[in-house]
Amino acid sequence: MAEAASKTTLSEYDPSCYLCPGNKRAQGDTNPEYESTFVFTNDYSAVKEEQAEYNPPEARDDPLPSLLLRAEPVTGKCYVITFSPRHNLTLADLAPSEILLVIETWTRIYSAHVSPNSALAKATGEATLQDGDQQSRDATKSNAQYRYMQIFENKGAAMGCSNPHPHGQIWTTTGLPEEPALELERLECYHREQGGHHMLEDYAKLESEKQERIVFENSSFLAVCPWWATWPFEVMIIARQHKRALVDLDVEQKKQLAEVVSEVTRRYDNLFETSFPYSMGIHQAPLEGKDTEIEASHLHIHFYPPLLRSATVRKFLVGYEMMAEPQRDITPEQAAARLRACGGKLYRDRLQ
């Protein structure tokens, strides 16, 4: 039995929402009457700039604790970025020109945290916070040099998002997290062993030639259901040419990235005619690192959505998939074909 298309029941403004313009947040600060994006330090930051110093217990006569139970202190700063002042929209509802403003804000925040000693420093010249955006300038000041910045969005209650107002998060940390570290290790290895080639640049070329797993493409980016995908409708956006980070993109390339993000998120919603949940994250060069790390990095965006057969039937990674290895419920070629067929106008607009 087919499920009915879900309609948006949210209002443009919610007086109880701590992200809407003009509203008071949890710690008492009042949001400005912003008109596009808005950035502030997370009121409930997972990592903080100043926190109790970690001192591991002394080994004494037993070496096992220090051998097997290892921990490292991490400090950092967490931000929230709203994508729109309207409470009832998502990235899928926004025009590419509106998503471009989000990308520009991501770029400015990333640029503000790049180490002056990084090989990326020269690329950050024009990617500074706008002079008129004083509140965002103040919010993104930090008292330390951080190693990594993770930009991400959790969309929908299925992904643990407690507030439907369109927003994402940015965590900066003194350490390099596990997933980006593993990726960077393999990217460096490929770059070293393949005569200076870049793995994701080569992979983008391969996918562009085969055309089997592409969801959408333009001259700067392609969105694919990757060969190794775990989630049924997993998508990765890849820069065709070697781009280390957002700061390497020119104006036209940012516009094209906005177009691809718009196409992916709109096709997701059209697939099961619902506000499609996902976790999305940008992987790019560390804020601080060796020249070889920066050079091997390649800008890409992961989308991990849980839905499998409908708006209410999701995939669960359990049993064999948890204990041994993930299994594909549909092939990436099938997933890409279904998403390609979901282009066009957003289904919610047709319901009005």
Side-chain angles (χ1 to χ4, degrees), residues 111-342:
S111 176
H113 288 278
V114 168
S115 169
N117 300 318
S118 169
L120 284 167
K122 291 183 179 179
T124 64
E126 297 182 2
T128 56
L129 287 166
Q130 299 169 1
D131 293 338
D133 192 5
Q134 186 61 46
Q135 188 154 2
S136 291
R137 287 171 63 89
D138 292 340
T140 54
K141 290 179 179 178
S142 61
N143 60 12
Q145 178 56 62
Y146 298 116
R147 173 87 159 104
Y148 193 76
M149 176 176 288
Q150 182 59 63
I151 300 171
F152 65 97
E153 178 198 8
N154 294 324
K155 181 192 175 191
M159 306 310 290
C161 183
S162 59
N163 190 329
H165 193 110
H167 73 284
Q169 297 186 52
I170 301 172
W171 293 16
T172 57
T173 55
T174 49
L176 184 61
E178 291 181 4
E179 286 296 319
L182 288 171
E183 278 192 2
L184 187 53
E185 180 183 337
R186 300 314 305 159
L187 291 173
E188 279 192 277
C189 181
Y190 187 93
H191 185 253
R192 184 173 59 251
E193 295 179 355
Q194 301 302 320
H197 282 239
H198 295 279
M199 180 192 290
L200 291 183
E201 186 175 32
D202 285 352
Y203 179 64
K205 179 182 178 181
L206 174 66
E207 289 289 13
S208 185
E209 291 172 352
K210 286 187 169 293
Q211 291 287 310
E212 296 171 341
R213 288 170 290 275
I214 289 182
V215 175
F216 181 81
E217 62 183 326
N218 55 33
S219 61
S220 298
F221 293 91
L222 66 160
V224 302
C225 292
W227 172 264
W228 55 84
T230 295
W231 297 97
F233 295 97
E234 182 176 329
V235 165
M236 184 165 68
I237 297 175
I238 315 169
R240 288 183 182 275
Q241 288 81 39
H242 179 229
K243 301 295 179 181
R244 302 165 298 177
L246 289 166
V247 293
D248 280 344
L249 303 181
D250 61 26
V251 173
E252 181 58 31
Q253 288 163 346
K254 289 176 185 174
K255 289 180 180 178
Q256 295 208 359
L257 178 56
E259 179 187 33
V260 178
V261 171
S262 174
E263 288 288 342
V264 170
T265 53
R266 181 161 33 84
R267 289 163 193 267
Y268 270 162
D269 280 20
N270 285 347
L271 180 63
F272 296 132
E273 296 190 325
T274 191
S275 186
F276 204 85
Y278 58 73
S279 278
M280 174 272 286
I282 300 175
H283 282 174
Q284 55 188 327
L287 300 169
E288 183 177 55
K290 299 177 297 183
D291 288 353
T292 53
E293 290 180 329
I294 305 301
E295 176 60 23
S297 297
H298 191 108
L299 174 66
H300 61 286
I301 304 178
H302 293 286
F303 284 84
Y304 297 142
L307 297 187
L308 173 58
R309 295 189 182 92
S310 71
T312 58
V313 178
R314 60 169 294 169
K315 177 182 179 67
F316 292 93
L317 281 172
V318 297
Y320 184 88
E321 294 187 80
M322 181 180 289
M323 303 299 172
E325 62 181 6
Q327 301 295 294
R328 288 291 313 200
D329 299 274
I330 60 174
T331 68
E333 293 80 10
Q334 291 170 328
R338 293 185 63 181
L339 288 172
R340 282 197 302 271
C342 291

Side-chain angles (χ1 to χ4, degrees), residues 19-35:
L19 295 179
C20 280
N23 287 359
K24 185 173 289 188
R25 298 203 306 275
Q27 303 299 323
D29 294 329
T30 299
N31 297 329
E33 295 290 345
Y34 64 92
E35 297 180 353

Side-chain angles (χ1 to χ4, degrees), residues 53-67:
E53 186 175 346
Y54 173 74
N55 295 306
E58 295 182 7
R60 296 183 181 178
D61 298 329
D62 186 0
L64 287 181
S66 61
L67 179 64

